Amino acid sequence: QPPLVNPRSYAPTLETSTPDRAAVLAAYTRMQPITAHPYLTRRGIPADLLALPRFAGCILQDERKNACFPHRDRNGVSGWEMKNQGFTGFSAKGTKGLWFSRTRPTDTRLVITESALDALSYAALFPDDHARYFSTGGSLNPDQPALISAALAKMPTPAALILATDNDEAGHALAETIQSLAPPALETRRPLPMTGKDWNDQLSARSTLTDAQGRPQERVRAFPLPNHPPEA
């Protein structure tokens, strides 16, 4: 009988992915801005939405034909969300900052979602020429709260923060965390999708509430939020 071999000998050593800004920027420069993508079309995102000046340069395509949504931190591009049929990921060697649309001085609403796909879905469901859109790319890392606080501080007064995170336990917790970062003067709203857990689910289902003119309406929040963020 051959001698027994410790199972650990068969397990390869796993290398931890560490951030590499130079590699991220090199890959970023090879991507191309797009105004249409087959996956986004299948998910209900209209090409005319992507062609708006609001989203110019905010959606890219990499060498593998993935739809990419670049995140930025205080030092510039830090990574990107990636979407394609049957695939969701984040760039290798990258770190999450915030994905965001272009902003205007006349903006009076800031919409925050958990993915760029949901931000685009919300924009398609509720067209608003005075809204800017942000994505956290999921749960927050230690650096993102400061980035969110800076984005909220740049909003004019009066303005509204739209917490369009997912309609699940994690989404509710993220909404409360973001709300706690908001200045007291910033109005807070928590709309929820009527179908599925996120705004792309609702967009895909084409099931929204409408007013007398047939315009989609935000659903009232389903859980209470404090009127003011807790004191630091």
Side-chain angles (χ1 to χ4, degrees):
Q1 294 291 330
L4 295 177
V5 178
N6 190 318
R8 291 181 180 273
S9 300
Y10 293 105
T13 301
L14 300 180
E15 296 184 3
T16 302
S17 178
T18 56
D20 185 338
R21 179 83 62 165
V24 166
L25 292 177
Y28 175 76
T29 59
R30 295 194 296 269
M31 294 194 291
Q32 298 295 322
I34 56 174
T35 55
H37 190 278
Y39 171 77
L40 298 180
T41 301
R42 285 193 293 270
R43 299 303 303 178
I45 306 298
D48 57 352
L49 176 72
L50 301 185
L52 292 176
R54 174 72 68 180
F55 299 108
C58 300
I59 302 95
L60 310 175
Q61 182 171 275
D62 64 12
E63 296 166 339
R64 296 185 177 182
K65 308 299 183 183
N66 296 313
C68 301
F69 307 89
H71 278 224
R72 289 176 169 82
D73 58 18
R74 295 185 185 278
N75 297 314
V77 175
S78 61
W80 47 87
E81 299 173 42
M82 296 185 289
K83 288 280 190 180
N84 214 328
Q85 191 66 30
F87 170 70
T88 295
F90 199 85
S91 55
K93 303 295 184 180
T95 57
K96 291 193 297 184
L98 293 174
W99 173 86
F100 50 89
S101 68
R102 293 184 178 273
T103 63
R104 298 172 182 158
T106 55
D107 291 341
T108 56
R109 281 167 291 281
L110 189 156
V111 179
I112 296 185
T113 65
E114 294 184 49
S115 73
L117 178 64
D118 283 327
L120 295 173
S121 300
Y122 194 92
L125 287 164
F126 309 105
D128 187 344
D129 198 42
H130 297 284
R132 56 185 65 169
Y133 302 86
F134 283 70
S135 165
T136 63
S139 59
L140 301 183
N141 66 26
D143 297 325
Q144 287 178 296
L147 298 175
I148 293 172
S149 294
L152 297 176
K154 293 178 181 179
M155 290 299 293
T157 302
L161 167 62
I162 312 298
L163 298 167
T165 54
D166 292 356
N167 187 15
D168 58 15
E169 184 176 349
H172 300 331
L174 179 57
E176 291 200 53
T177 298
I178 296 173
Q179 198 274 342
S180 73
L181 302 171
L186 195 62
E187 178 189 354
T188 302
R189 304 176 190 169
R190 174 66 168 131
L192 295 174
M194 296 293 293
T195 301
K197 75 168 186 173
D198 60 41
W199 294 104
N200 189 249
D201 287 342
Q202 173 144 332
L203 179 64
S204 298
R206 299 288 179 176
S207 177
T208 60
L209 295 174
T210 58
D211 61 13
Q213 286 74 43
R215 295 174 300 192
Q217 296 296 290
E218 298 174 11
R219 186 180 179 184
V220 297
R221 60 177 181 250
F223 67 99
L225 286 169
N227 294 326
H228 300 287
E231 295 182 1

